[in-house]
Amino acid sequence: MKKRVVYLTVVLLFVSLACQVVTGPVVGTEPTSGPAVPTTSPQPAIALPEPTSTLEPVSEKSLAGLIVSSPAFGAQQGGGYWRGLGIVNEAGELIHVANEAWYLGYSPTGLLVYQHGYGYGLERYAYNLKVYHAATGRTLEINDGLEGIKEFLGWVDPARFVYVNHYEWLLFEAYGYFEGSEVLLADGESGEASLLFEHAFQFKASPDRSRIAYTTGTKMEAESETMQPGAGCFEAHIYDLASSTSTRFETDGLTEPPLCMGYPEWSPDGKRIAWIGYFQDGTFHPIIFNLQDGTGVAYPEIQVHGSSQFPGGWSMGYGPAWIDEHTFWTEAYEVDVLTGQEASPRENTWTFLSSPAVTRADGRLAVELNDGVLEIQAVNGAALASYALDDLYHGGRNRIGFDAGEEFQALIEDWGLFAPPAGVESELQAGSVPATAENPDAAGDCSTGVVITTRDTSKGDYLQICANDEQYEIGPVAKGAFGVAPTGTFFVYCANNGAVYAALVGDLTLHVIGSVKDFAVIQRGDVPQFVIEFDENDLSTVTIRELSYNQSQVISIPRSISTP
């Protein structure tokens, strides 16, 4: 697999699928074509117990396995805030797991998958997929050799998961350009990843994680009311993980097969699958197939927006979704697929597709998070206890607290059965130690200003920062140069790889503000000699100067940092 670079800015909504163990499937070779879509009904390998009223003593330990995201752990702004992650251990203590991360999934054996943001500039990013091992505190990176946005599809077994890598993510240009994305299988224990299939769009894993529905790009052969022959269109496929084969989804059973078919949605029991079909008269209809007998039904038209060649895909507002095993919802109507009876749709999908309270995986407790306070409830809603995140967490943090306003609020991401053992630290905690009397190397004389030094380790450099009689560290980071603003309120760090960061003094997060990767010294692989220059009369910019080749570049500093 060759390395690719993201050239387009993509806004992506990440959907984390529920973690279930599925035995059996082993991925092997690349997909081959097959005659028909599998019609066997998926059977979940593990059934969680029905929710019951709690009989256990409720304490901080009851929150073990709860995963929380918050800018207090670290935040990076750019198309929204990336929040750091924390998890409650067996002792009821909240520990810091990751800075600037998107939570993706948590296995029953304690593997926490997240996407970590890197980049230069707020509009151009590469993303790395990482796995935190709750049992040991170690974190490893998934080695797929690809740059792109990662989308988590689900766990295949306790250690392996399937994900998508999006790069140059463009569905169609006029008349048949189909780049698509790659789907890979990752091993959370070894960090290795293998390619399943590529050049694909619109992915949904079946509830038992044995199959993946997706589409490929194809050219229209027939003419429709709104598209000419040769325009881009979707073609539906199913990938079977057990056999490592991909088959085109057959529509022969329909009275009028659609010209294009995309946007798959599995029913919760895996017995049916819905697609959106585009027909010759220029209309769009949900088509729901019964996978047990192969029959399909096209339901009334829905409104879908797209240009004649669908350069950006189809837009449907709130996408159609399953409410339960036999009720399918669209913005125009909802239908009972057993009786065929249609009804007026519920007004707001989020009222039935999500809940403010998160239930623990064993079904015995629920919890809500409001203004930085966790409120534990019995499953019948009765209040049991409450704990502030500030009281559960004792590590370093940003100036943004757990009880900050809506833009910076902490969120519950998941609640798993596995929790880190008491005393196990994450590598981030173990590597970033506040300067104390027991850690004199991190301290400095900062009685008259800000003092920054570096500590060299096998993992990289740590910035040791001393200000206002407080000392702390940020790292690890690539080697580089730093400069403190004349006001003493923030500093700029230029790494030797060309990435330029800025941070408010007192914050634990370096914010990406630009790049000098085009400098000759970096292109030629030499060691740069950077100098950071500020204009005392205008702190909205900083000049990065490289002395070896006498190059310089002016980079803007966000107002949130230059004038907090």
Side-chain angles (χ1 to χ4, degrees):
M1 291 175 288
K2 57 186 179 180
K3 192 172 185 179
R4 299 175 185 256
V5 179
V6 179
Y7 291 104
L8 298 181
T9 302
V10 177
V11 177
L12 181 63
L13 174 65
F14 297 97
V15 182
S16 295
L17 300 174
C19 299
Q20 294 180 344
V21 175
V22 179
T23 60
V26 177
V27 175
T29 58
E30 296 229 11
T32 57
S33 60
V37 61
T39 58
T40 55
S41 175
Q43 298 296 323
I46 288 182
L48 294 176
E50 291 295 323
T52 58
S53 298
T54 180
L55 301 175
E56 66 185 75
V58 176
S59 67
E60 295 98 325
K61 295 181 180 180
S62 303
L63 294 166
L66 188 74
I67 300 168
V68 175
S69 63
S70 172
F73 294 126
Q76 177 170 294
Q77 188 176 12
Y81 276 89
W82 290 58
R83 295 167 169 83
L85 292 175
I87 186 171
V88 179
N89 66 12
E90 291 180 347
E93 301 163 332
L94 182 60
I95 62 174
H96 191 177
V97 170
N99 292 326
E100 305 167 4
W102 279 109
Y103 170 78
L104 297 180
Y106 192 52
S107 80
T109 56
L111 302 186
L112 191 160
V113 182
Y114 64 93
Q115 186 171 258
H116 191 255
Y118 296 94
Y120 45 97
L122 298 180
E123 296 182 354
R124 194 173 181 183
Y125 284 97
Y127 301 93
N128 290 37
L129 203 61
K130 296 195 175 186
V131 180
Y132 166 74
H133 291 238
T136 63
R138 73 185 181 103
T139 298
L140 59 82
E141 187 169 316
I142 298 300
N143 301 310
D144 59 15
L146 298 168
E147 293 183 357
I149 301 173
K150 317 298 182 183
E151 178 184 352
F152 182 81
L153 291 185
W155 296 95
V156 174
D157 57 40
R160 298 181 304 159
F161 60 92
V162 179
Y163 70 98
V164 182
N165 183 72
H166 299 290
Y167 60 89
E168 295 183 350
W169 193 31
L170 184 65
L171 293 178
F172 302 118
E173 285 182 351
Y175 296 90
Y177 171 79
F178 313 112
E179 186 60 45
S181 302
E182 299 127 327
V183 178
L184 303 100
L185 178 74
D187 189 317
E189 296 289 350
S190 68
E192 297 302 314
S194 57
L195 179 69
L196 301 182
F197 56 91
E198 58 185 342
H199 306 304
F201 309 96
Q202 304 159 3
F203 316 89
K204 280 296 173 71
S206 63
D208 68 350
R209 310 298 189 269
S210 67
R211 293 167 289 175
I212 301 171
Y214 69 98
T215 64
T216 57
T218 185
K219 292 183 180 181
M220 283 268 296
E221 296 180 359
E223 183 175 353
S224 71
E225 291 290 333
T226 57
M227 290 201 300
Q228 299 298 317
C233 201
F234 295 124
E235 186 175 87
H237 296 265
I238 300 288
Y239 182 86
D240 181 71
L241 282 101
S243 62
S244 303
T245 58
S246 185
T247 60
R248 180 175 175 177
F249 195 94
E250 298 296 338
T251 59
D252 295 341
L254 295 174
T255 304
E256 180 189 356
L259 299 177
C260 312
M261 201 163 71
Y263 294 88
E265 291 287 342
W266 298 87
S267 64
D269 59 6
K271 296 180 180 180
R272 292 176 173 81
I273 189 170
W275 302 83
I276 304 301
Y278 174 74
F279 289 81
Q280 194 160 2
D281 62 0
T283 60
F284 295 85
H285 299 257
I287 311 172
I288 299 177
F289 294 88
N290 185 323
L291 297 178
Q292 295 178 304
D293 60 20
T295 59
V297 177
Y299 289 91
E301 179 183 2
I302 62 173
Q303 293 299 312
V304 176
H305 307 286
S307 71
S308 60
Q309 279 79 42
F310 305 127
W314 301 346
S315 173
M316 291 171 281
Y318 285 114
W322 290 91
I323 299 174
D324 53 40
E325 285 82 358
H326 56 83
T327 308
F328 189 71
W329 181 94
T330 75
E331 286 189 305
Y333 57 86
E334 60 185 63
V335 60
D336 186 320
V337 298
L338 298 180
T339 65
Q341 184 175 359
E342 297 173 23
S344 297
R346 275 158 252 207
E347 292 184 3
N348 189 335
T349 60
W350 300 111
T351 61
F352 59 82
L353 292 182
S354 63
S355 170
V358 176
T359 302
R360 199 168 64 183
D362 62 3
R364 299 183 64 185
L365 290 173
V367 68
E368 287 188 27
L369 177 57
N370 297 299
D371 298 326
V373 177
L374 294 166
E375 300 172 357
I376 303 178
Q377 309 166 356
V379 292
N380 61 9
L384 300 175
S386 61
Y387 299 96
L389 291 176
D390 276 321
D391 295 334
L392 302 180
Y393 181 64
H394 306 293
R397 68 188 68 189
N398 263 332
R399 62 186 177 86
I400 302 170
F402 289 113
D403 58 350
E406 182 176 349
E407 184 178 6
F408 303 102
Q409 64 181 320
L411 302 172
I412 298 174
E413 299 289 352
D414 207 343
W415 201 356
L417 289 175
F418 193 97
V424 170
E425 290 185 315
S426 69
E427 292 180 353
L428 188 149
Q429 283 184 308
S432 185
V433 182
T436 63
E438 290 74 27
N439 183 30
D441 292 338
D445 180 9
C446 56
S447 57
T448 59
V450 179
V451 176
I452 300 179
T453 57
T454 59
R455 179 168 64 90
D456 188 13
T457 75
S458 60
K459 297 179 181 179
D461 280 2
Y462 285 82
L463 301 180
Q464 300 175 309
I465 302 160
C466 181
N468 301 321
D469 293 327
E470 294 183 358
Q471 299 89 34
Y472 63 99
E473 286 188 342
I474 298 177
V477 297
K479 291 184 179 298
F482 54 83
V484 179
T487 56
T489 56
F490 70 93
F491 65 91
V492 171
Y493 186 78
C494 185
N496 285 354
N497 61 12
V500 182
Y501 306 86
L504 285 167
V505 171
D507 278 4
L508 296 177
T509 302
L510 293 173
H511 302 265
V512 180
I513 62 171
S515 169
V516 292
K517 293 188 177 183
D518 293 334
F519 277 9
V521 67
I522 295 175
Q523 295 294 316
R524 297 182 183 184
D526 297 336
V527 178
Q529 300 181 52
F530 288 127
V531 175
I532 315 296
E533 299 177 349
F534 294 95
D535 182 349
E536 294 187 5
N537 298 317
D538 182 9
L539 293 180
S540 64
T541 62
V542 63
T543 300
I544 308 298
R545 191 177 304 281
E546 203 285 311
L547 303 181
S548 302
Y549 292 84
N550 193 27
Q551 289 182 285
S552 63
Q553 183 172 324
V554 177
I555 294 176
S556 297
I557 299 174
R559 288 178 57 86
S560 59
I561 294 176
S562 62
T563 56

